[in-house]
Structures are given as structure tokens and as C-alpha cells.
């Protein structure tokens, strides 16, 4: 069974600075997907970024980028130029595509607070 | 983009009654939907996988008779909490994806309070 570990329960960062959230996972699969989701106080789950395991290039979405190390099974999220609106709980998630569905396995989450 | 609608957003019910939560994919068909439960400041716990036209697959420890799931069409899955008790109070979220490997899209969640 796949597991996802987020070792940082809470983090703080000053506005405009950069922060990195860590995530490691355990799987014997070779083909899979990794995601970072953001859950602000509204509790809406928002997709931040997606990485396909077969792609070596790290995914980037504006201020958000990942450092995907497949051999080390590591998938960290870097947030540049942090904004107050980035305050949220961040979940790392693993997906092994299955015929007829895409089950996500979530990490425990990291609460990120951006301070002004 | 793909949208998942969940209703109601909040519900308060008395102990012993049943509550139905709906999850709809608005602009795509979803043969599979997922139901999660989340406690405050904790991660999402998968409860069950809802399969269109067949029985749901429940995760270990989730009571099938307590949490009834029906997926009668390609755009609608329902979760019914039967004979609700205060310990069933929680945040329930559904999700679905348009195709294999694509990101899951989540409903806005339902906050259930059982008094």
C-alpha cells in the first residue's frame, strides 16, 4: 500500500519570502501521479500542482514549483514570493491510476501561515 | 474546468435521523466518485469509492450500513448517513475526476452536525 508522509505539521513564512514544504512517499509502482492540494479556511480543496512520475522535469505553476526526486521518493513544494492568501493547509497526495477511478492517498497535511 | 457540486453545505440533524448528501459532476461524467471524511486540522480520510451502476467499495473500518452510497447515474452520487449519532458529526467531501490520471475535483464539502 502506498503511504504519503508530510513531516512538518505547521510552518510559518514572512510575506514575500520563500518556503518549502516537504513530502515523501512510499510505493513500488513506477507509473503514478503526485499532487499538492491547498485547503484554505473555507475548506475548499484546490489543486496547486501536479507531477507525472514519468516526467523528469519538475512541474511549475507561477509561484509554485516542485522538486521531484523519484529515486528518493520525495516531492517537495516551493512557494516563492509568499502571499497572505497562501495561508492554508497543504496536502501532498499520491495517485495510482486505476481503471475506472483515481484514488488519492493523502499525507497528514502541513498548516502554512504567511505573516505580514 | 471540471466542477463538482456538493449539497448541502451545512446540515444539522437530530440524533437517530438520516441525512443525505449529494455530489454531482456538473460538466463531465464520472463513473467513479470518492467520499472522504475530515476532522478539524486533520487529513482527508477515504471512506468509500462510489461506482456507477454497482456497489460501492468501502475502506476498512467504515460501516456499510451506516454510510449508504448510491451512484445511480454518471453525474450523481449520494451518501446517506443513517441513524446519525453525535460522533458522526464531521466534514464530508466528495470528489471525482473526468478521466484516468486526471486530478480529482472536489465538492465544497458538507459540515454535518448531529445534536
Amino acid at each position: 500500500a502506498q503511504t504519503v508522509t508530510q513531516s512538518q505539521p505547521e510552518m510559518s513564512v514572512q510575506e514575500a519570502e520563500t518556503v518549502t514544504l516537504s513530502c515523501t512517499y512510499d510505493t513500488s509502482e513506477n507509473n503514478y501521479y503526485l499532487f499538492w492540494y491547498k485547503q484554505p479556511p473555507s475548506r475548499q480543496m484546490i489543486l496547486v500542482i501536479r507531477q507525472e512520475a514519468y516526467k523528469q522535469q519538475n512541474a511549475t505553476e507561477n509561484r509554485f514549483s516542485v522538486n521531484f526526486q523519484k529515486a528518493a521518493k520525495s516531492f517537495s513544494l516551493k512557494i516563492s514570493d509568499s502571499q497572505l492568501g497562501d495561508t492554508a493547509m497543504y496536502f501532498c497526495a499520491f495517485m495510482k491510476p486505476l481503471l475506472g477511478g483515481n484514488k488519492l492517498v493523502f499525507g497528514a497535511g502541513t498548516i502554512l501561515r504567511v505573516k505580514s | 474546468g471540471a466542477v463538482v457540486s456538493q449539497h448541502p453545505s451545512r446540515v444539522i440533524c437530530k440524533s437517530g435521523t438520516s441525512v443525505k448528501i449529494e455530489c454531482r459532476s456538473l460538466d463531465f461524467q464520472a463513473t467513479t466518485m470518492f467520499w472522504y471524511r475530515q476532522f478539524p486540522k486533520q487529513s482527508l480520510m477515504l471512506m468509500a469509492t462510489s461506482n456507477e451502476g454497482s456497489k460501492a467499495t468501502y475502506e476498512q473500518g467504515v460501516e456499510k450500513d451506516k454510510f449508504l452510497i448510491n451512484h445511480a447515474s454518471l453525474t450523481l452520487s449520494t451518501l446517506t448517513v443513517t441513524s446519525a449519532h453525535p460522533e458522526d458529526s464531521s466534514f464530508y467531501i466528495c470528489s471525482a475526476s473526468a478521466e484516468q490520471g486526471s486530478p480529482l475535483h472536489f465538492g465544497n464539502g458538507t459540515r454535518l452536525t448531529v445534536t
Side-chain angles (χ1 to χ4, degrees):
Chain A
Q2 290 79 18
T3 58
V4 178
T5 302
Q6 293 179 249
S7 58
Q8 305 152 315
E10 296 189 26
M11 292 192 72
S12 295
V13 63
Q14 206 65 29
E15 195 175 9
E17 293 189 347
T18 296
V19 64
T20 299
L21 309 184
S22 65
C23 173
T24 58
Y25 57 96
D26 186 25
T27 185
S28 58
E29 303 288 345
N30 190 50
N31 180 30
Y32 52 89
Y33 299 82
L34 295 164
F35 304 89
W36 279 97
Y37 280 88
K38 165 186 177 181
Q39 188 180 41
S42 67
R43 303 193 80 170
Q44 172 67 47
M45 292 290 285
I46 301 167
L47 176 66
V48 175
I49 202 164
R50 168 192 181 188
Q51 176 80 44
E52 292 91 340
Y54 63 85
K55 289 186 177 180
Q56 292 186 338
Q57 186 172 6
N58 289 324
T60 299
E61 286 289 342
N62 301 314
R63 297 183 296 107
F64 299 88
S65 62
V66 297
N67 183 3
F68 174 48
Q69 301 290 328
K70 189 172 183 178
K73 297 179 182 175
S74 171
F75 183 61
S76 61
L77 174 70
K78 185 173 82 171
I79 306 174
S80 304
D81 186 25
S82 296
Q83 300 175 0
L84 295 177
D86 295 333
T87 293
M89 192 156 186
Y90 287 80
F91 294 101
C92 178
F94 172 100
M95 176 195 286
K96 166 61 180 174
L98 299 172
L99 184 65
N102 301 311
K103 184 185 292 188
L104 275 178
V105 177
F106 286 95
T110 297
I111 297 173
L112 176 67
R113 294 186 176 86
V114 180
K115 299 180 178 179
S116 59
Chain B
V3 177
V4 173
S5 174
Q6 187 173 342
H7 178 82
S9 58
R10 291 175 180 266
V11 59
I12 301 172
C13 70
K14 292 185 177 181
S15 187
T17 62
S18 295
V19 174
K20 180 184 286 188
I21 303 170
E22 292 187 347
C23 181
R24 295 179 183 273
S25 56
L26 297 184
D27 55 358
F28 65 97
Q29 294 182 333
T31 56
T32 305
M33 292 184 177
F34 301 93
W35 288 95
Y36 292 86
R37 182 174 182 175
Q38 186 182 31
F39 292 104
K41 294 187 178 182
Q42 293 188 24
S43 189
L44 280 72
M45 180 190 76
L46 180 64
M47 299 175 64
T49 301
S50 174
N51 304 300
E52 189 268 334
S54 64
K55 292 182 178 180
T57 304
Y58 290 82
E59 295 299 305
Q60 191 173 9
V62 177
E63 298 177 60
K64 300 178 182 181
D65 296 332
K66 160 69 82 175
F67 300 101
L68 298 180
I69 290 174
N70 183 276
H71 195 152
S73 77
L74 286 171
T75 59
L76 174 64
S77 175
T78 60
L79 168 68
T80 301
V81 183
T82 63
S83 187
H85 288 101
E87 56 265 31
D88 298 325
S89 297
S90 190
F91 191 67
Y92 295 88
I93 311 177
C94 71
S95 67
S97 62
E99 58 187 19
Q100 190 178 65
S102 62
L104 283 179
H105 299 277
F106 288 83
N108 287 338
T110 298
R111 185 183 302 277
L112 170 64
T113 303
V114 184
T115 61

